[in-house]
Amino acid sequence: MTQFINLTLSGISTGAIYAAVALALVLIWRATRIVNFAQGAMLMFTTFLASVVIEAGNPYWVGLVVALASGVVLGAVVERLLVRRVESAPPLNAVIVTLGLLVLLEAAAGMIWGNTPRSFPAAFSIQGFKVGGTRVLFSPNDLFIVLVVLAVAGALALLFRMTTLGLRMRAAAFAPEVARLQGVRVGRMFTIGWALAALVGSLAGVLVAPSVFVGPNQFDSILIYAFVAAVLGGLDSPLGAIVGGVILGLVLSYVSGYEGSALAPLAALVVLVATLMIRPSGLFSSARERR
């Protein structure tokens, strides 16, 4: 019973990390209708910048601010200089651009900071809470991650449902020509969407870094699991990203705990295939049909 509780708590904390990255994927998809496969490399790069700031003797929170600010700038620059060139082209062009950006950023990070993973401090203690006489696998830092991810998901849901900016971003993504006729500056909406998604991704990078360390390729597996979580929950839904991340985190935790960690990637693949076969739009997607 103790093992099951620990695996459940571990799955929730890990799932919150997947959900954080999935939120960034959902945000870009809702804002521009592009799946950003470079998201892992972008958050890796900004997390490296935060690591450099913290290693220079600055507090953790200064590093977090630097990561968020650099994420906003990086997202806006990527959209302006790269993605905008292929926005009117077939969707595959944008996918190829993001894959190329993934390779470029990982190579650049390796040349600048080296390929050896480095540690990253946590915001709070990583020692599990003590319940009775037993210490469980859920720490104050895990609780912080869960609360932050829930807050970000709530903020994104309010942005898209309750604000004029969110409505304009959705209109620009679904029907850019019609949105232009209504006076929406579509290009600016795309830039804002990428900047906000990069900000959320940078936050996710800082949250996950204490668990996986910081290296050019350390976040690749996180991006894959986050993509599965986003598809499971629905690429249109911030709530779906949260639920999908937690479900996937629990599945992988149980599989790793009872059958071995080597089967975790296979379990994620099974979840992805099952989702695409049973409910391709995801558990919480409101879009039933799209051309």
Side-chain angles (χ1 to χ4, degrees):
M1 186 62 181
T2 302
Q3 182 183 11
F4 176 78
I5 294 175
N6 283 330
L7 290 177
T8 300
L9 294 174
S10 176
I12 292 173
S13 60
T14 305
I17 292 173
Y18 300 153
V21 183
L23 281 172
L25 296 175
V26 167
L27 182 53
I28 282 190
W29 176 256
R30 293 194 69 165
T32 63
R33 274 329 191 238
I34 292 174
V35 178
N36 181 19
F37 289 104
Q39 187 68 66
M42 292 172 66
L43 66 88
M44 172 272 299
F45 206 87
T46 58
T47 305
F48 256 122
L49 295 177
S51 176
V52 170
V53 170
I54 294 173
E55 289 177 357
N58 295 289
Y60 171 91
W61 304 107
V62 175
L64 175 61
V65 171
V66 169
L68 298 181
S70 59
V72 170
V73 174
L74 179 60
V77 169
V78 167
E79 194 282 328
R80 284 282 185 175
L81 298 183
L82 298 178
V83 178
R84 183 161 297 193
R85 311 294 180 183
V86 296
E87 281 174 352
S88 59
L92 182 60
N93 291 29
V95 172
I96 294 174
V97 167
T98 60
L99 289 174
L101 180 62
L102 165 69
V103 175
L104 174 64
L105 289 177
E106 289 187 347
M111 290 187 290
I112 296 172
W113 294 293
N115 293 310
T116 302
R118 60 177 69 181
S119 61
F120 193 93
F124 298 98
S125 172
I126 60 174
Q127 188 174 28
F129 288 108
K130 194 170 184 180
V131 180
T134 305
R135 194 171 295 279
V136 297
L137 294 180
F138 194 81
S139 66
N141 193 63
D142 294 328
L143 179 61
F144 170 68
I145 292 174
V146 172
L147 294 178
V148 168
V149 172
L150 290 175
V152 171
L156 291 180
L158 290 176
L159 170 68
F160 283 110
R161 292 178 180 272
M162 302 296 182
T163 68
T164 302
L165 175 61
L167 179 61
R168 290 176 178 176
M169 291 171 65
R170 294 171 65 187
F174 278 109
E177 297 302 327
V178 176
R180 286 189 179 96
L181 293 176
Q182 296 293 325
V184 177
R185 302 185 66 172
V186 174
R188 177 176 294 182
M189 293 301 104
F190 286 171
T191 302
I192 293 175
W194 274 81
L196 289 177
L199 183 148
V200 175
S202 299
L203 175 62
V206 173
L207 294 177
V208 71
S211 301
V212 301
F213 296 94
V214 184
N217 306 108
Q218 293 297 109
F219 296 91
D220 289 348
S221 60
I222 299 295
L223 176 64
I224 294 173
Y225 293 143
F227 176 73
V228 175
V231 173
L232 174 61
L235 280 169
D236 286 307
S237 173
L239 174 61
I242 299 294
V243 176
V246 172
I247 290 176
L248 183 65
L250 290 172
V251 169
L252 297 186
S253 180
Y254 294 143
V255 170
S256 299
Y258 291 117
E259 301 296 335
S261 59
L263 292 179
L266 178 60
L269 177 61
V270 171
V271 171
L272 178 61
V273 172
T275 302
L276 294 176
M277 292 179 63
I278 299 172
R279 190 175 175 82
S281 60
L283 298 177
F284 291 87
S285 177
S286 59
R288 297 182 177 275
E289 182 176 331
R290 183 179 298 119
R291 294 183 63 181

